[in-house]
Amino acid sequence: MKVLLVGSGGREHAIGWKLASSPRVRELVSLPGNPGLAGLGPVIEGIDPTDAGAVAAMAAAQGFDLVVVGPEAPLAAGVTDAISRYGIPVFGPTRAAAKLESSKSHAKDVMLRARVPTGWAVTVTDLDEARRHVESSDGPFVVKADGLAAGKGVLVTDSRADAVAWAERWLPSGPVVIEEYLEGPEVSVFAVCTDAGARPLEPARDHKRLGDGDTGPNTGGMGAYSPVSDLPEGLVDDVMRRVIEPTLALMAEDGTPFRGFLYAGLILTADGPKVLEFNVRLGDPETQTVLPRLANDLVDVLEGAEPEWSDVATVTVVLAARGYPESPETGAEIRGLDAVGDDALVFHAGTRREGGKVVVAGGRVLAVVGSGASIAGARERAYAAADRISWPGKVFRTDIGLRAD
Ligand code: GLY
């Protein structure tokens, strides 16, 4: 098979790494890829991954047998729809199905109609309305941009003034959703949705705050671990039955059937699990954490095979650039990548090749994954490898997976 992988982050490097290990994959090509993916096969430059028509025409011209789309932006731009018109199998939802992530208010509407457990939410379109809702409710306040915001559109705050200011910041780009603050540990559950049905992947727990002890601003995710041992008995089956399956059934009924990775971000409240958000892709860095535990062929799984799991535990530590998430410092040379050897996996995200060097090119730079018989062993390997990699301004959390022991 000749496979095209669309995307350039750490999640895509992990997907590409797993696809490239399949005996069924003859060639893996990435668009636009990154220096890590470039080690697995050709990368295509000069085509914007969100230009659906251009991506589809290229995929048809180059004779791909399968296209896998990693991030939400190309999915929301209709890349799946455009490629499907050429009759090429593509893994990822259509533009209409991807609205589950590209509009938070639409997602809440789907959850409500599918009777999926979630918190209350109101959608506002002007500042007075936002102010009225904030003033008439008790904090903490959760205020979200309705559309895609690359992980930067959510504020959780105790301050009414900050909640209103957040609404004011995002209202020029579309509606804003004000929703119930839910309390409890978070966990991400992923389902692979194919014509053969929906199958869960192993859950992972992300660490979203920038600093140790869950302090500092929200980020895309600073680390993750899997398995997650403190989950209520039967949680994954329960989520499949009460969240994933009703959502898929409703979307099929609405004429927007969902095929692809469906990610339910959950909060385990005192009243049971509730959905915080849906994403129409895998999580980052959860993918880097979960795929090394997948024992069978990812291509088979994307075609509907039951995922099989190894017993190893994994811990992923994200190495970020100083200033992330607001204004990461880029350009520094990354040293020590060759010193990691086979002790850990290193997935590239915000990196760029400049001559013979690899330099920092984004906020989340690398994801270092350690594995072991226990979370403690995996964590030790991940941090030992992370210590060998350096650049001026490298930042990371030192407590990934610590509470899991
Ligand atoms: N790690 C959270 C996300 O991928 O959205």
Side-chain angles (χ1 to χ4, degrees):
M1 261 185 181
K2 183 172 170 180
V3 180
L4 175 67
L5 173 64
V6 178
S8 64
R11 168 186 49 219
E12 284 75 36
H13 188 187
I15 295 171
W17 165 81
K18 188 67 189 167
L19 287 171
S21 74
S22 164
R24 297 179 59 193
V25 175
R26 173 173 47 84
E27 187 177 23
L28 177 79
V29 179
S30 307
L31 167 74
N34 65 34
L37 281 160
L40 298 171
V43 296
I44 295 176
E45 285 165 6
I47 296 178
D48 174 354
T50 63
D51 183 340
V55 175
M58 179 277 291
Q62 296 210 13
F64 285 102
D65 304 297
L66 171 67
V67 181
V68 180
V69 185
E72 61 278 19
L75 295 165
V79 162
T80 295
D81 314 53
I83 293 173
S84 302
R85 277 182 218 119
Y86 288 94
I88 303 169
V90 46
F91 194 81
T94 60
R95 179 189 184 133
K99 212 174 153 197
L100 207 54
E101 178 167 355
S102 62
S103 167
K104 305 277 176 266
S105 52
H106 172 73
K108 280 287 184 186
D109 176 58
V110 169
M111 289 184 232
L112 199 74
R113 290 191 296 125
R115 297 177 188 276
V116 164
T118 186
W120 59 256
V122 290
T123 304
V124 298
T125 50
D126 72 58
L127 193 57
D128 284 342
E129 220 183 335
R131 202 173 276 121
R132 261 201 318 278
H133 278 289
V134 168
E135 275 163 12
S136 64
S137 40
D138 293 327
F141 306 97
V142 182
V143 187
K144 293 182 175 175
D146 185 59
L148 295 181
K152 293 186 181 153
V154 180
L155 180 74
V156 181
T157 179
D158 285 319
S159 152
R160 282 201 162 81
D162 289 353
V164 173
W166 196 255
E168 188 170 17
R169 169 176 170 177
W170 287 99
L171 275 167
S173 26
V176 160
V177 178
I178 300 173
E179 59 182 50
E180 185 178 353
Y181 173 75
L182 299 171
E183 227 171 338
E186 285 185 37
V187 68
S188 315
V189 171
F190 307 99
V192 184
C193 307
T194 70
D195 289 335
R199 310 211 188 267
L201 296 179
E202 282 278 285
R205 178 166 287 142
D206 188 12
H207 295 54
K208 286 214 176 69
R209 299 288 188 133
L210 181 68
D212 284 356
D214 293 331
T215 54
N218 257 321
T219 69
M222 293 299 291
Y225 66 89
S226 179
V228 186
S229 58
D230 64 354
L231 298 181
E233 179 86 23
L235 177 85
V236 172
D237 289 345
D238 195 38
V239 170
M240 292 304 288
R241 193 171 43 77
R242 294 174 59 204
V243 174
I244 303 291
E245 279 156 15
T247 301
L248 295 177
L250 185 95
M251 291 182 76
E253 245 174 74
D254 281 353
T256 56
F258 189 98
R259 304 277 178 276
F261 294 114
L262 181 54
Y263 164 157
L266 300 167
I267 193 136
L268 307 178
T269 72
D271 299 330
K274 294 193 178 178
V275 177
L276 272 184
E277 62 178 8
F278 277 131
N279 294 309
V280 299
R281 51 169 175 88
L282 287 179
D284 185 339
E286 294 97 320
T287 309
Q288 296 91 310
T289 316
V290 167
L291 288 189
R293 302 190 55 225
L294 182 67
N296 56 335
D297 190 324
L298 181 57
V299 179
D300 293 346
V301 171
L302 300 186
E303 288 177 351
E306 188 74 52
E308 292 161 20
W309 300 101
S310 76
D311 287 337
V312 297
T314 48
V315 170
T316 299
V317 178
V318 169
L319 306 183
R322 186 164 49 210
Y324 175 72
E326 281 299 326
S327 46
E329 290 170 19
T330 59
E333 180 181 357
I334 302 168
R335 295 177 187 273
L337 285 167
D338 294 337
V340 172
D342 294 333
D343 291 345
L345 292 163
V346 179
F347 293 119
H348 287 241
T351 68
R352 188 179 63 236
R353 199 164 270 288
E354 245 179 47
K357 304 180 199 162
V358 177
V359 303
V360 174
R364 289 190 294 171
V365 180
L366 297 164
V368 182
V369 188
S371 43
S374 64
I375 294 286
R379 191 174 60 240
E380 207 168 288
R381 287 227 174 89
Y383 278 110
D387 279 346
R388 285 185 216 124
I389 299 171
S390 63
W391 70 86
K394 173 183 101 171
V395 296
F396 59 100
R397 279 181 65 157
T398 63
D399 62 349
I400 305 298
L402 204 55
R403 282 177 311 167
D405 294 340

